[in-house]
Amino acid sequence: MQLDTPRGRLSAAAFSQTRVHVGAGLIAWLAAALAGATVFAVYLTTLAPTVMWYDMGEFATTSATLGIAHNTGYPLLILTGKAFTFLPFGETAWRVNLMSAAFTALAIAMVFGIIHDLTRDYVSAAVGALTLAFASTIWVNATWATSYGMNLFFTAVVTRLMLAWWRERSPRALVLAALAFGLGICNHRLIVLVAPPSLLLLALGWRSLTPKACGLAGVAFLLGLSVYVYLPVRGEMDPQLSWARPAEWGTYWSMFLNGQTPGEYWSLNVADRIDVLWAYPSYDLTAAGLALSAVGAAVCAVRSRAVAAYFALLVLLDAAVVEAYGIHNIYNYLTPGYLALCVFIGIGASWVIATTRRAAEARMSVRPHVSVAGIAAVLALLPAFLFFRNYDRVDRSADYNAADFARTTLDRVPANAVILTDSWAAPPLWYAQLVEGYRRDVFVSPIFSVPGEDVAAFARPYLDQGRSVYIAEGLRVSTS
């Protein structure tokens, strides 16, 4: 029997196989969506209700006011955050915090899809994806406004598209990966870590590349990168909160190149930072998770050396950045490596399940599905353990410390006062002033976070004008 189609005749058997393939693909997408939705629901219960300290408060304020954040400007985050502020519920800062939860949940759904693409196993995909979701560093960044959730999402998108290109040599996948990579740079430069693994796959499959596909990918990349036009366009409008001052092309170019980052941040100091590479992963993913990841890496290397090399290179590059970039919250930069490790966890879980099934079938002493269900339940203990251990620790749903600090501080200073503080405590004060319209007469400066600045000389003109000058320090708490 044959069926007529617009492209000719299709046998009934082939038509049946096509229906099965489409149905399986739809189920996989629905399963990934369910995983993402479940994680998002959990994140909602731990979401910060208002403005937070440090960069998180700055991003909430710059998003609400369409300002320009600290270097590198974060134009995509600001524009997306602004879109979230139009939601008809919740406080403004809560809406921007919601953006982080949404993008992290989308990243988890994408990781579920990556693992399922590689294993065709739903249980292992859930184990790997949910382990990533409930890792402390991932989860805490989903509770407030940061760039890391969006970066995790774009890292996952580029990864899945590049693996699709590797399997199918589809020009469409390559073009979309280039677009996602360009957009990701407009959020956080950590996305650059996926470039070498992607180039590795392209080099190994270079015979499948065509000038047209490469040209379209280049155009797509530039299209994504064009979001950076926001900096000069908005900067010339002199927004209330802008780090692009003086507003000139040199400033915008410097921010784009990350040129305002102090050079001393970059220094290879293995002895001082090697503990980060063990302490955080062993806590976030547990020793059992890392062991399962090692099993998955070995299995992946046997099945596809190219895919294994992609994820191994991502882990190694991430480790190199952590070793060389000396910022205080460097643990947040571990997230791309966590993605790779959790993909290996999923592959390892799939191998354990398959091995258990084969052993049960060979013994014939127990029903195979009973053994598989048992081992699946054991594997599920990993994300379950992380969930219960970390929930109270990352829960920000009742955290009003920064907002209370801002209101209390502004309430206690006289008219036209000057508050000198740092980049930790200034953002909630800015949020109260610029977003909530409270005490705009007060001038707030993060002067203590400006290297080499003479604070006394900075304050003298204000004192000469008869203005009261105060020093304020915010409450510092652990953020991971």
Side-chain angles (χ1 to χ4, degrees):
M1 177 182 175
Q2 291 185 325
L3 304 173
D4 290 326
T5 72
R7 298 188 180 217
R9 291 183 171 274
L10 184 70
S11 69
F15 178 72
S16 177
Q17 291 175 356
T18 300
R19 285 195 304 172
V20 170
H21 177 74
V22 171
L26 178 60
I27 293 173
W29 277 101
L30 290 175
L34 178 61
T38 300
V39 168
F40 182 65
V42 172
Y43 289 166
L44 276 179
T45 67
T46 60
L47 197 64
T50 185
V51 68
M52 304 301 286
W53 308 99
Y54 194 47
D55 290 354
M56 298 79 77
E58 180 194 337
F59 288 142
T61 306
T62 50
S63 293
T65 62
L66 282 181
I68 296 178
H70 66 279
N71 142 77
T72 59
Y74 302 89
L76 184 64
L77 183 151
I78 291 169
L79 291 170
T80 307
K82 182 63 176 180
F84 271 79
T85 66
F86 291 117
L87 292 172
F89 45 81
E91 183 185 322
T92 299
W94 181 88
R95 300 172 196 171
V96 185
N97 295 337
L98 183 67
M99 174 185 65
S100 289
F103 274 97
T104 306
L106 287 171
I108 299 308
M110 195 63 61
V111 170
F112 182 102
I114 292 170
I115 298 172
H116 184 266
D117 289 344
L118 295 172
T119 66
R120 299 301 173 186
D121 184 87
Y122 292 105
V123 173
S124 61
V127 169
L130 294 180
T131 297
L132 181 65
F134 300 136
S136 172
T137 300
I138 301 296
W139 194 348
V140 75
N141 281 311
T143 65
W144 49 33
T146 68
S147 58
Y148 300 110
M150 187 179 290
N151 181 75
L152 187 68
F153 168 72
F154 280 111
T155 301
V157 169
V158 173
T159 295
R160 191 173 190 189
L161 288 169
M162 287 307 303
L163 293 179
W165 179 85
W166 176 250
R167 288 191 307 272
E168 305 163 8
R169 300 297 198 271
S170 166
R172 179 173 175 269
L174 180 61
V175 171
L176 290 175
L179 175 62
F181 183 68
L183 288 170
I185 289 178
C186 298
N187 168 64
H188 198 290
R189 296 302 162 81
L190 199 56
I191 189 68
V192 171
L193 291 182
V194 301
S198 298
L199 290 174
L200 174 64
L201 292 184
L202 293 175
L204 293 174
W206 66 272
R207 287 186 175 84
S208 301
L209 295 173
T210 64
K212 180 180 179 181
C214 293
L216 289 175
V219 171
F221 169 72
L222 293 176
L223 180 61
L225 200 62
S226 68
V227 175
Y228 253 105
V229 173
Y230 170 83
L231 292 189
V233 170
R234 184 58 179 160
E236 294 304 309
M237 299 177 185
D238 196 25
Q240 297 177 77
L241 180 54
S242 174
W243 290 76
R245 291 191 176 120
E248 57 186 26
W249 280 101
T251 304
Y252 306 136
W253 186 244
S254 179
M255 294 188 79
F256 174 74
L257 294 177
N258 206 21
Q260 294 183 347
T261 297
E264 59 266 25
Y265 281 10
W266 291 96
S267 62
L268 187 60
N269 195 333
V270 176
D272 283 352
R273 300 178 196 148
I274 192 66
D275 59 323
V276 175
L277 294 178
W278 168 248
Y280 281 91
S282 63
Y283 179 83
D284 281 330
L285 303 180
T286 75
L290 293 177
L292 187 58
S293 179
V295 171
V299 172
C300 188
V302 171
R303 294 176 179 175
S304 174
R305 285 179 292 180
V307 174
Y310 180 100
F311 290 110
L313 186 56
L314 184 57
V315 171
L316 291 175
L317 290 171
D318 196 13
V321 169
V322 170
E323 283 294 318
Y325 194 41
I327 58 174
H328 73 278
N329 60 341
I330 191 62
Y331 49 83
N332 288 322
Y333 280 56
L334 289 167
T335 52
Y338 283 179
L339 183 152
L341 291 173
C342 285
V343 170
F344 283 148
I345 285 174
I347 295 172
S350 176
W351 179 83
V352 171
I353 292 172
T355 301
T356 301
R357 180 183 291 110
R358 287 194 298 270
E361 290 173 347
R363 289 197 310 268
M364 297 297 290
S365 57
V366 294
R367 295 177 181 177
H369 67 272
V370 175
S371 297
V372 170
I375 198 64
V378 171
L379 292 169
L381 291 176
L382 175 58
F385 169 76
L386 294 177
F387 173 85
F388 288 108
R389 185 193 67 182
N390 293 331
Y391 189 95
D392 290 337
R393 190 165 191 266
V394 305
D395 185 9
R396 297 290 185 270
S397 60
D399 190 344
Y400 290 89
N401 289 326
D404 290 344
F405 160 81
R407 282 281 179 160
T408 301
T409 301
L410 292 171
D411 278 341
R412 292 183 177 182
V413 299
N416 300 311
V418 175
I419 297 178
L420 305 182
T421 184
D422 56 18
S423 58
W424 178 270
L429 294 167
W430 289 333
Y431 179 83
Q433 292 179 307
L434 304 181
V435 180
E436 298 179 334
Y438 190 69
R439 293 301 307 272
R440 293 195 176 207
D441 60 295
V442 177
F443 175 68
V444 178
S445 171
I447 189 68
F448 291 108
S449 293
V450 180
E453 187 69 31
D454 187 335
V455 177
F458 180 85
R460 178 56 56 187
Y462 297 105
L463 293 170
D464 292 342
Q465 296 169 13
R467 300 178 68 173
S468 300
V469 178
Y470 293 83
I471 294 176
E473 183 178 8
L475 173 66
R476 293 183 180 271
V477 295
S478 173
T479 60
S480 179

